[in-house]
């Protein structure tokens, strides 16, 4: 790799001279971001649609009469707590294992081919779900969602890795935020389709929403075949020709352009520097590298792994998936909402239209700032919903005098106010923590452990997604915990934890290349990271000092 570094650096010196800056220029001119480059980088975010769609359609399907009767029997009016828990959570369990495996596969066959493989696995799982209603419907929906979950795991882990490695640094945050935006579009699309088929008298009421998942996987899988793989993947494999071609296509510049040669020189130099700190080793050793160093050193591999996994854990702790997985049966229990499918659709629309705000804020104010404000806004909304619920809202109902099988809310206006604050909570989540956690996990890991670090972080998201999906029916079920609005005290408390954690441990990575992020974390602490500015480049030899987990690393 040393010879590759020297060759690339020399080539870069020749070409960048024509552009008026040297290889040691920190604020070097980055290749202008053309519309073609935007579209190439943004297309990968389309993977968020089938992630979101799969999360969104199950909420409505679980509340549909025909589906309930197919799973529970002809006289059933609701899924049992155990069946509801397993059907909802099993996809997340499959995704957890898929995300863990995807990191190794992405280093073996490349980023884009791993996502394409995930699309194929996902479609196979959808095919199994399609036969729900024949034979044992409960078994087919569970097995189908488990297999589809493995495919989603491949996609959710590797798309973030792929986008972080191909996007220009100045717009990387906005483009990766597009992944979360596509998740919200997927959820909205699922809600619309479920709402549109809910009155069908046949099994198409739930089979149509299931079948449409094929479309998203097909579009992403076919489209990615025409995109280049990550230039950093090629450098990791020692293939400079492939890396040059990839960068040329991604930046819409000739292969011999100074812009391309300079960026490639920086990637190669950083790869060589990080290989000195984290040498190649056995398969087990590469995983062990993710956990090396001290938890008290801000730039240790262990600290970065904890940061990535805890960010994804806290994204799930906000309670947002309680709304998207269980809002339909939860609102039905209040007796105040006549059309719960429509209210769930409103929540979804708020989610969709709030997310694009992050395209601007994440680059204007930074990752750390929006996570702080987002956690503050969410905790306020959650506590308002909880307090209103236990005093005058969701928790207070009476039997309908005209129908003893139904309950009605004592104070419908209070219930509507709670619904409004749930919508405000979704606004804060969608514009901050929704995209912010995904952006950061793609930026904080050094190249030798990046694929595994992102995989571990994504697996953490799905592990906690699974845990929350499993326990929630027992927390709010009428014959279980029956917490009703009190469950929002739990989510509000966890959002408070997220606020404190962000202030203490989350660094600011706005405007930095992936190579500069590592240097920033070595030289500063999270609370002052926004003020850090790079003063040298890897290609120029000025970033070679320091140690990933050594004594010079700052303590938090």
């Amino acid at each position: 790799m040393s010879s590759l570094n020297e060759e690339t650096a020399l080539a870069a010196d020749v070409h960048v001279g024509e552009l008026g800056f040297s290889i040691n220029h920190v604020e070097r001119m980055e290749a202008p971001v053309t519309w073609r480059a935007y579209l190439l980088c943004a297309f990968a975010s389309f993977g968020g649609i089938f992630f979101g769609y799969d999360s969104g359609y199950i909420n409505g399907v679980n509340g549909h009469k025909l589906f309930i009767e197919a799973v529970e029997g002809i006289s059933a009016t609701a899924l049992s707590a155990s069946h509801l828990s397993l059907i909802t959570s099993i996809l997340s369990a499959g995704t957890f294992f898929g995300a863990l495996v995807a990191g190794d596969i992405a280093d073996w066959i490349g980023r884009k081919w791993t996502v394409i493989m995930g699309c194929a696995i996902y479609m196979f799982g959808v095919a199994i779900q399609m036969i729900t209603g024949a034979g044992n419907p409960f078994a087919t929906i569970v097995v189908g969602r488990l297999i589809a979950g493995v495919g989603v795991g491949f996609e959710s882990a590797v798309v973030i890795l792929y986008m972080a490695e191909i996007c220009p640094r100045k717009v990387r945050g906005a483009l990766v935020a597009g992944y979360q935006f596509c998740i919200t579009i997927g959820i909205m699309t699922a809600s619309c389709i479920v709402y549109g088929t809910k009155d069908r008298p046949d099994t198409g009421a739930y089979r149509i929403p299931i079948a449409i998942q094929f479309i998203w996987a097909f579009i992403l899988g076919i489209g990615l075949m025409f995109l280049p793989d990550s230039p950093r993947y090629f450098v990791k494999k020692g293939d400079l020709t492939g890396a040059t071609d990839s960068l040329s296509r991604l930046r819409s510049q000739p292969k011999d352009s100074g812009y391309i040669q300079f960026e490639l020189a920086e990637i190669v130099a950083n790869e060589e520097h990080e290989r000195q700190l984290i040498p190649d080793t056995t398969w087990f050793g590469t995983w062990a590298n993710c956990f090396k160093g001290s938890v008290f050193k801000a730039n240790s591999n262990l600290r970065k792994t904890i940061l990535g996994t805890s960010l994804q854990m806290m994204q799930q702790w906000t309670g947002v998936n309680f709304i998207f997985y269980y809002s339909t049966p939860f609102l039905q229990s209040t007796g105040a909402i006549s059309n719960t499918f429509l209210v769930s659709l409103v929540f979804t629309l708020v989610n969709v239209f709030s997310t694009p705000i992050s395209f601007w804020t994440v680059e204007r104010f930074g990752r750390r700032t929006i996570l702080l404000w987002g956690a503050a806004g969410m905790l306020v909304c959650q506590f308002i919903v909880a307090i209103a619920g236990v005093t005058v809202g969701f928790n207070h109902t009476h039997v309908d005098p005209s129908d003893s099988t139904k309950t009605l809310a004592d104070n419908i206006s209070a219930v509507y106010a709670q619904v409004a604050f749930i919508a405000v909570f979704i606004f804060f989540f969608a514009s901050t923590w929704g995209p912010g956690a995904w952006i950061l996990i793609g930026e904080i890991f050094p190249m030798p452990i990046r694929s595994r670090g992102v995989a571990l972080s994504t697996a953490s998201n799905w592990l906690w997604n699974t845990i929350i999906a499993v326990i929630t029916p027992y927390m709010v079920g009428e014959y279980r915990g029956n917490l009703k609005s009190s469950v929002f005290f739990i989510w509000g408390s966890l959002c408070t934890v997220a606020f404190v954690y962000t202030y203490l441990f989350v660094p600011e990575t706005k405007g930095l290349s992936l190579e500069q992020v590592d240097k920033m974390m070595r030289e500063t602490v999270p609370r002052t990271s926004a003020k850090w500015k790079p003063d040298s480049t890897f290609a120029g030899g000025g970033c070679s000092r320091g140690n990933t987990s050594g004594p010079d690393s700052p303590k938090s």
Side-chain angles (χ1 to χ4, degrees), residues 105-400:
I105 297 177
D107 277 349
W108 177 37
I109 65 174
R111 283 45 166 154
K112 79 168 188 177
W113 289 108
T114 304
V115 178
I116 292 170
M117 182 186 296
C119 290
I121 296 171
Y122 180 78
M123 287 190 285
F124 179 59
V126 172
I128 294 175
Q129 293 177 66
M130 278 294 296
I131 61 176
T132 297
N136 186 335
F138 178 67
T140 53
I141 192 72
V142 168
V143 172
R145 281 177 61 78
L146 176 64
I147 294 173
V150 175
V152 175
F154 276 49
E155 180 272 333
S156 59
V158 181
V159 162
I160 293 298
L161 171 65
Y162 179 59
M163 293 187 70
E165 291 189 340
I166 68 173
C167 293
R169 65 185 175 94
K170 291 182 179 179
V171 293
R172 185 177 62 240
L175 287 171
V176 177
Y179 177 78
Q180 177 67 22
F181 182 53
C182 285
I183 291 175
T184 67
I185 290 180
I187 295 173
M188 180 186 71
T189 304
S191 297
C192 291
I193 291 170
V194 167
Y195 187 71
T197 61
K198 69 182 178 66
D199 294 325
R200 287 182 64 95
D202 54 25
T203 57
Y206 57 85
R207 279 179 165 161
I208 289 174
I210 291 173
I212 287 175
Q213 296 173 95
F214 275 109
I215 298 173
W216 319 132
F218 181 80
I219 292 174
L220 179 65
I222 296 299
L224 277 177
M225 291 184 180
F226 299 96
L227 266 65
D229 213 321
S230 161
R232 289 171 171 87
Y233 163 73
F234 286 118
V235 168
K236 188 180 178 74
K237 292 294 185 181
D239 182 0
L240 279 188
T241 301
T244 304
D245 180 66
S246 174
L247 270 179
S248 175
R249 293 174 62 188
L250 290 169
R251 305 292 184 255
S252 298
Q253 294 284 327
K255 295 180 183 179
D256 60 353
S257 162
Y259 294 115
I260 301 302
Q261 295 298 326
F262 190 100
E263 186 170 357
L264 181 60
E266 185 73 352
I267 294 171
V268 170
N270 177 255
E271 162 71 2
E272 182 183 60
H273 165 65
E274 290 180 341
R275 284 295 174 200
Q276 292 173 351
L277 301 175
I278 312 174
D280 283 325
T281 181
T282 64
W283 175 85
F284 179 81
T286 56
W287 276 103
N289 281 333
C290 294
F291 304 96
K292 286 186 176 179
S294 169
V295 71
F296 299 106
K297 301 292 177 58
N299 196 46
S300 72
N301 292 344
L302 174 61
R303 181 69 170 265
K304 290 176 180 177
T305 299
I306 292 174
L307 176 61
T309 53
S310 58
L311 275 169
Q312 291 295 330
M313 174 184 71
M314 289 181 189
Q315 189 198 64
Q316 293 302 305
W317 277 5
T318 61
V320 70
N321 280 334
F322 168 74
I323 305 300
F324 291 121
Y325 285 165
Y326 298 111
S327 62
T328 297
F330 181 74
L331 292 173
Q332 285 171 344
S333 70
T334 68
I337 309 296
S338 58
N339 193 335
T340 54
F341 283 97
L342 183 59
V343 174
S344 293
L345 179 58
V346 170
F347 289 159
T348 301
L349 290 172
V350 172
N351 193 30
V352 170
F353 290 110
S354 302
T355 302
I357 296 172
S358 66
F359 296 175
W360 178 69
T361 58
V362 75
E363 298 296 357
R364 174 63 179 83
F365 301 108
R367 287 68 156 148
R368 175 182 165 86
T369 302
I370 68 169
L371 291 185
L372 280 169
W373 282 102
M378 288 189 295
L379 73 88
V380 170
C381 291
Q382 298 280 24
F383 282 125
I384 289 175
V385 173
I387 293 168
V390 298
T391 54
V392 293
F394 284 163
N395 290 23
H396 298 270
T397 59
H398 60 273
V399 177
D400 185 350

